[in-house]
Amino acid sequence: MTENAQQQPSAPHTELPTQYAPSDVEGPLYERWVERGYFEADAKSEKPPYTIVIPPPNVTGSLHLGHAFEHTLIDALTRRKRMQGFETLWQPGMDHAGIATQNVVERELGKEGKSRHDLGREAFVERVWQWKGESGGQISGQMRRLGDGVAWSRERFTMDEGLSQAVQTIFKRLYDDELIYRAERIINWCPRCLTAISDIEVEYQDDDGELVSMKYGEGDDTIVVATTRAETMLGDTAVAVHPDDDRYKHLVGKEIRLPLTDRSIPVVADTHVDPAFGTGAVKVTPAHDPNDFEIGQRHNLPSLTIMDEHAVITAHGPFQGLDRLEARSAIVAALRAEGRIVAEKRPYAHSVGHCSRCKTTIEPRLSMQWWVKVGPLAKAAGDAVRDGRVKIHPQEMEKRYFDWVDNLHDWCISRQLWWGHRIPVWYGPNGEVVCVGPDDEAPTGEGWRQDTDVLDTWFSSGLWPFSTLGWPEQTESLAKFYPNSVLVTGYDILFFWVARMMMFGLYAMDGTPPFHTIALHGMVRDQFGKKMSKSFGNAVNPLDWMDKYGSDALRFTLARGANPGVDVPIGEDWVQGSRNFANKIWNATRFALMNGATVDGPLPDVSEMSATDRWILSRLNSVVAEVDALYEDFQFAKLSDALFHFAWDEVFDWYVELSKTTFMAGGEPAKVSGRVLGEVLDVTLKLLHPVVPFVTETLWTTLTGGESVVIAEWPKDSGFRDAAAEKEIESLQSVITEVRRFRADQGLQPGQRVPARLTLDGTALAPHEAAIRQLLRLQPEGDSFSATATLPVAGATVALDLSGTIDVAAERKRLAKDLAAAEKEKAQANAKLGNEAFLAKAPDNVVEKIRTRLAKADEDIARIHAQLERLPQA
């Protein structure tokens, strides 16, 4: 029972339409919420803060099922906390998405026959801002469709003035603390986008390539190496073997001839080499492979770059000017002609990295880039979880987090793009290097130039939890809403976005982590558990499902599948089922309003309530407690399932049905049950609201006359429990369920009336005879009553006269036929499972299917025997 039951306004009992039409309700309701400022957050408020930032979607993006899933979970958390009295901030905004946005605008220019170079840097950047203003951010409107309760007045963009100042500030501080430096290292390079890309922007897939084994050196000094990238041999500067490999000890330190070139290269000993893999010898190309680069550093090997930024061969000789793939074939052919090819394997499936934006195969490339020295930052990020300042949920994800932050390599933060935060470093005519902060004047004069690169998108999004609150200014919002209460995001970006926010937050905010809890969820998949993809033909536009079934239906389906850290399967029929649930809520509330449900005045005294009333209030409080506990544990699937079964099964299918006889009889008991039903609906609609906000808002305001359920008080468990009433109603449910099952087994129609004698004396069921007869369609026994079937259940006896309702002989014949079929199925399954030869050969899944068939046959046999025993004698 809620504390504010006595404070509820009188219900207006406005008549609800006969059917719920989401398209008529959702848009106007959302605009009303926004106009009334329900989602805004006041930094001056004395309420305790609750803060969540939106994982900023790309400005180029549109709402996909992953967004809808994540936003549903965040919205549910923030709506509940708002109702609990917290000053709740769900911070919205978008990411400038450097590569993606630049690609979009470049494609638009391509339609005009132009490139960005035709415009020049300043004009191109202006063109991107123009595109952003006209076409970017369509996802904002789609978020409104979903019902996202974000503080729209606080919306931020990672390239806006305030966030740009934050980026420049932290770059300067990191640079001054020698945590940012410039160096030549191996990076992921996209020959199509012409930029370095981060690890998260590389997608790996198995490609069919070739594995070529080739012979280096001459005579006794020959050694065989294998590669899938034969063209890189032009840049080899060594062959490496393991120092303990006796096969090659005589070669270590010697120079051997590199085929197709005029060079000789050394054989070096390095523990990185696995002597058990392949020939135990590897070619070393420091400028074009990250592992080879490390070997090169250890052995002071030169790094020869043999490709340009377009992946075209630049090494002198006959292969110069060839694309890398053309050169690969040409070099293998040339080696074959010299008798250097020992083995060729085609096709050879191996994992290859591709640019996530354009799908081009990435090229490891030695390049001068800007880096963050992550060692001390990553240690702080690990310590914050280890010492309990930040909790990761589910806890088993901690290991993956530590595996990452404890082994983090320095982070390449520069990108060879024009759209993004330009690196605030100037180079002077005499080799000067000056890093400029937001309050510094940039150097001017002849020969000074700014670095042409921009920062990795993750650099600015790593500041998101505090830059959106006004940092580096010490704003009221920063003081009120930092650190964030919880971060809700997918486990797939735990290593990238989450780790960067942890490092930057702890560094910039004097050791205070950016959030208290990291709640990780899985990925949305199709109903068969397969990844959704346009190429698979199973991708779904969530707007289509919202148009068809309503936003609440999509939200409830997503929440009901959301187990922490686990992928979420979803199919259209499940969304349709959730639409049916929304309709059930609508119809049941409409029925309740028509039959006296009210929130007027306090709840009646318990002594005035029936057992049915006490049972549903007891169950209601248990559900309030259960839902609260599940919310705190981020168990969205379990709390949604608990609410579904309580609302549908217990409130609508049992309490409403059991109360119909009371309502029909009228009088004081009907008034009491009407008030109880009103209370149950009031609380149930509030509990459901965070997940299904639109239908609950319409029904709750109609039921209570309140302003909005968005700002209503979240229900509290009053502690009321009535074990005796719960046991009594469980007995009543057992009687009704058992008799219904028997009727169905006998082929009786649900509405078909049957004469019955009820023996309820001495049981707690005696007051419920009218309800039992009503729900089971049982007529009074009459003068000619003959008990042809007797059902003892829950201490009571229900005797039925079926003489005029079924053909007993025909029913026995039908059941006998079904019994013979089930016994035959059992015999066949037992025969196979008893055959040792069959079990030895059959796959496990086949054997399991037969065991399942056997179990089903046993169930059928037991069920049919029970039906035969219950039938009257023919």
Side-chain angles (χ1 to χ4, degrees):
M1 290 171 281
T2 59
E3 286 185 357
N4 65 332
Q6 297 186 30
Q7 301 167 4
Q8 294 280 11
S10 297
H13 291 183
T14 304
E15 186 175 342
L16 288 167
T18 55
Q19 291 184 325
Y20 176 50
S23 59
D24 295 341
V25 169
E26 293 174 351
L29 269 188
Y30 188 85
E31 291 309 313
R32 189 183 312 154
W33 292 334
V34 172
E35 288 168 5
R36 293 179 177 178
Y38 293 155
F39 305 140
E40 296 302 324
D42 183 3
K44 294 182 172 64
S45 169
E46 295 183 1
K47 296 179 183 178
Y50 186 80
T51 316
I52 296 181
V53 294
I54 195 171
N58 289 352
V59 68
T60 58
S62 59
L63 191 74
H64 57 64
L65 271 178
H67 289 130
F69 172 56
E70 187 168 76
H71 291 198
T72 294
L73 305 187
I74 299 174
D75 197 40
L77 290 174
T78 52
R79 284 178 182 271
R80 172 174 173 262
K81 285 295 182 180
R82 190 178 292 113
M83 295 171 74
Q84 286 184 315
F86 286 78
E87 192 62 35
T88 303
L89 169 61
W90 182 8
Q91 173 66 52
M94 285 184 290
D95 193 287
H96 66 278
I99 294 178
T101 307
Q102 181 156 320
N103 282 347
V104 167
V105 178
E106 286 196 83
R107 282 197 297 270
E108 293 296 315
L109 284 174
K111 295 175 184 177
E112 302 171 15
K114 297 178 182 177
S115 74
R116 60 180 163 126
H117 301 286
D118 293 325
L119 272 66
R121 184 167 191 144
E122 288 187 12
F124 176 77
V125 170
E126 180 59 35
R127 181 70 176 260
V128 180
W129 277 108
Q130 180 184 340
W131 175 88
K132 190 260 181 186
E134 295 173 356
S135 306
Q138 64 172 315
I139 197 170
S140 296
Q142 295 164 347
M143 287 166 58
R144 292 171 181 264
R145 282 285 315 276
L146 188 65
D148 287 4
V150 299
W152 286 113
S153 69
R154 292 173 172 264
E155 188 174 11
R156 304 304 299 267
F157 179 55
T158 51
M159 287 279 287
D160 69 28
E161 184 177 351
L163 270 66
S164 295
Q165 182 184 13
V167 167
Q168 199 171 352
T169 298
I170 201 163
F171 187 100
K172 171 70 171 171
R173 290 187 186 179
L174 289 164
Y175 181 87
D176 290 346
D177 287 343
E178 298 183 349
L179 293 173
I180 282 183
Y181 63 93
R182 194 169 184 244
E184 191 175 42
R185 291 191 175 179
I186 292 285
I187 45 88
N188 301 311
W189 181 265
C190 176
R192 155 62 182 79
C193 298
L194 299 179
T195 182
I197 60 176
S198 66
D199 291 337
I200 196 173
E201 292 163 325
V202 178
E203 292 179 349
Y204 287 91
Q205 64 185 49
D206 284 343
D207 287 358
D208 282 338
E210 60 181 358
L211 180 66
V212 179
S213 298
M214 47 198 183
K215 184 169 57 176
Y216 287 9
E218 306 291 345
D220 292 338
D221 293 345
T222 60
I223 193 165
V224 176
V225 297
T227 183
T228 58
R229 301 163 66 216
E231 69 280 6
T232 62
M233 60 89 59
L234 299 175
D236 286 357
T237 56
V239 171
V241 297
H242 194 278
D244 298 330
D245 194 333
D246 292 336
R247 293 172 295 176
Y248 302 117
K249 280 189 175 180
H250 68 289
L251 288 176
V252 174
K254 284 189 175 183
E255 297 267 334
I256 62 173
R257 178 173 173 258
L258 179 67
L260 307 182
T261 72
D262 296 327
R263 294 189 291 117
S264 292
I265 58 176
V267 177
V268 299
D270 196 282
T271 54
H272 169 76
V273 180
D274 181 0
F277 183 76
T279 65
V282 297
K283 59 190 287 297
V284 181
T285 320
H288 294 278
D289 183 275
N291 293 321
D292 293 2
F293 178 80
E294 298 296 333
I295 294 175
Q297 293 289 297
R298 288 192 288 272
H299 297 277
N300 296 314
L301 300 174
S303 297
L304 302 181
T305 299
I306 54 101
M307 292 182 215
D308 67 12
E309 60 186 6
H310 298 279
V312 171
I313 301 298
T314 58
H316 293 296
F319 311 107
Q320 186 174 5
L322 295 180
D323 171 82
R324 56 183 166 168
L325 299 182
E326 296 171 335
R328 183 175 300 172
S329 299
I331 287 170
V332 171
L335 289 168
R336 192 182 298 114
E338 286 192 5
R340 296 274 178 181
I341 299 297
V342 176
E344 297 179 70
K345 185 175 182 180
R346 296 188 186 89
Y348 178 73
H350 62 125
S351 181
V352 178
H354 296 260
C355 174
S356 63
R357 302 298 177 191
C358 67
K359 311 308 176 187
T360 302
T361 300
I362 63 108
E363 191 66 42
R365 186 170 190 261
L366 187 63
S367 179
M368 183 66 75
Q369 302 285 345
W370 285 94
W371 303 81
V372 172
K373 182 180 179 181
V374 300
L377 302 174
K379 182 182 183 304
D383 290 346
V385 175
R386 286 190 170 95
D387 64 25
R389 282 176 290 157
V390 178
K391 298 187 183 303
I392 293 179
H393 192 280
Q395 190 174 3
E396 55 265 28
M397 287 286 182
E398 282 186 4
K399 182 180 183 303
R400 296 177 65 177
Y401 176 80
F402 292 135
D403 286 346
W404 179 257
V405 298
D406 292 348
N407 299 284
L408 202 55
H409 295 126
D410 284 0
W411 171 20
C412 175
I413 56 172
S414 46
R415 299 290 179 266
Q416 289 64 57
L417 302 170
W418 288 356
W419 172 245
H421 295 282
R422 195 165 175 180
I423 289 176
V425 171
W426 271 256
Y427 306 105
N430 299 311
E432 303 96 331
V433 178
V434 176
C435 181
V436 177
D439 299 324
D440 301 332
E441 290 289 333
T444 57
E446 187 175 351
W448 283 93
R449 59 184 178 83
Q450 186 178 358
D451 196 298
T452 57
D453 288 353
V454 300
L455 288 164
D456 177 12
T457 297
W458 296 101
F459 191 94
S460 52
S461 60
L463 314 180
W464 195 246
F466 51 95
S467 63
T468 52
L469 297 172
W471 187 90
E473 301 298 326
Q474 298 303 305
T475 64
E476 286 183 321
S477 290
L478 188 65
K480 178 72 174 180
F481 296 112
Y482 187 91
N484 295 179
S485 306
V486 63
L487 174 75
V488 178
T489 192
Y491 62 69
D492 57 323
I493 56 174
L494 172 63
F495 315 132
F496 307 105
W497 187 46
V498 179
R500 282 146 174 67
M501 286 190 290
M502 286 285 284
M503 290 191 295
F504 281 167
L506 288 159
Y507 173 79
M509 300 300 293
D510 300 321
T512 302
F515 17 72
H516 297 301
T517 302
I518 302 167
L520 299 170
H521 59 72
M523 305 296 101
V524 179
R525 297 182 178 271
D526 72 12
Q527 59 190 337
F528 305 108
K530 190 174 181 180
K531 180 181 178 181
M532 285 192 172
S533 165
K534 290 181 180 178
S535 60
F536 295 155
N538 63 349
V540 173
N541 183 347
L543 296 172
D544 293 340
W545 281 352
M546 286 193 282
D547 288 342
K548 194 170 183 180
Y549 303 110
S551 298
D552 283 335
L554 177 64
R555 290 171 60 114
F556 192 72
T557 304
L558 291 166
R560 205 173 177 195
N563 291 295
V566 178
D567 289 346
V568 182
I570 185 172
E572 184 170 0
D573 55 337
W574 302 344
V575 184
Q576 185 175 354
S578 295
R579 187 272 314 273
N580 295 344
F581 178 53
N583 288 343
K584 181 77 170 181
I585 301 169
W586 183 273
N587 292 332
T589 304
R590 186 170 176 272
F591 169 85
L593 288 170
M594 293 168 60
N595 285 271
T598 179
V599 295
D600 291 347
L603 277 171
D605 189 80
V606 172
S607 62
E608 301 176 43
M609 297 180 188
S610 67
T612 309
D613 295 332
R614 300 195 306 278
W615 161 72
I616 197 62
L617 288 174
S618 181
R619 287 292 305 125
L620 178 68
N621 279 284
S622 294
V623 169
V624 169
E626 180 183 7
V627 168
D628 273 333
L630 291 171
Y631 259 117
E632 295 305 316
D633 200 33
F634 304 101
Q635 296 282 355
F636 296 98
K638 290 182 179 178
L639 72 88
S640 298
D641 210 48
L643 286 171
F644 174 88
H645 287 294
F646 175 70
W648 192 307
D649 299 344
E650 298 187 77
V651 179
F652 304 147
D653 280 358
W654 281 110
Y655 182 72
V656 169
E657 291 299 317
L658 290 171
S659 300
K660 281 183 178 178
T661 52
T662 303
F663 289 137
M664 286 189 290
E668 196 59 31
K671 290 181 181 178
V672 170
S673 291
R675 179 63 188 90
V676 170
L677 179 54
E679 178 75 6
V680 171
L681 287 175
D682 174 20
V683 173
T684 302
L685 291 171
K686 288 176 181 175
L687 293 174
L688 283 166
H689 173 73
V691 181
V692 284
F694 294 107
V695 67
T696 51
E697 170 80 340
T698 306
L699 295 175
W700 186 86
T701 52
T702 302
L703 171 71
T704 69
E707 181 184 339
S708 173
V709 71
V710 176
I711 55 172
E713 184 178 349
W714 182 254
K716 294 182 177 67
D717 174 13
S718 70
F720 175 78
R721 301 291 190 277
D722 192 323
E726 289 196 35
K727 185 177 180 180
E728 181 175 331
I729 301 305
E730 284 173 11
S731 297
L732 176 59
Q733 290 171 328
S734 296
V735 170
I736 292 170
T737 301
E738 186 65 23
V739 176
R740 279 177 173 167
R741 184 182 296 118
F742 176 76
R743 287 175 57 108
D745 287 344
Q746 307 311 315
L748 297 177
Q749 295 300 313
Q752 190 172 353
R753 294 196 169 275
V754 178
R757 176 185 298 145
L758 304 185
T759 306
L760 307 176
D761 295 342
T763 73
L765 298 174
H768 301 286
E769 179 169 353
I772 293 173
R773 288 191 177 276
Q774 172 68 23
L775 293 177
L776 292 174
R777 304 295 190 269
L778 301 180
Q779 297 177 180
E781 52 193 274
D783 295 335
S784 59
F785 179 82
S786 174
T788 57
T790 302
L791 304 176
V793 56
T797 302
V798 179
L800 303 173
D801 183 353
L802 304 178
S803 57
T805 57
I806 60 172
D807 184 334
V808 176
E811 185 64 14
R812 282 189 176 278
K813 186 175 181 181
R814 181 184 71 79
L815 290 173
K817 184 178 178 181
D818 291 346
L819 181 61
E823 288 174 339
K824 181 179 179 182
E825 175 76 0
K826 179 179 180 179
Q828 290 174 341
N830 274 326
K832 287 187 177 181
L833 293 174
N835 185 334
E836 295 296 334
F838 170 79
L839 293 176
K841 295 180 181 179
D844 290 344
N845 65 316
V846 173
V847 175
E848 186 58 35
K849 283 183 180 178
I850 294 171
R851 290 196 176 109
T852 302
R853 283 169 48 194
L854 176 61
K856 177 67 166 54
D858 281 333
E859 289 177 8
D860 288 344
I861 290 168
R863 175 180 55 79
I864 295 167
H865 275 303
Q867 288 178 246
L868 285 167
E869 289 173 6
R870 288 172 174 170
L871 275 177
Q873 296 300 313

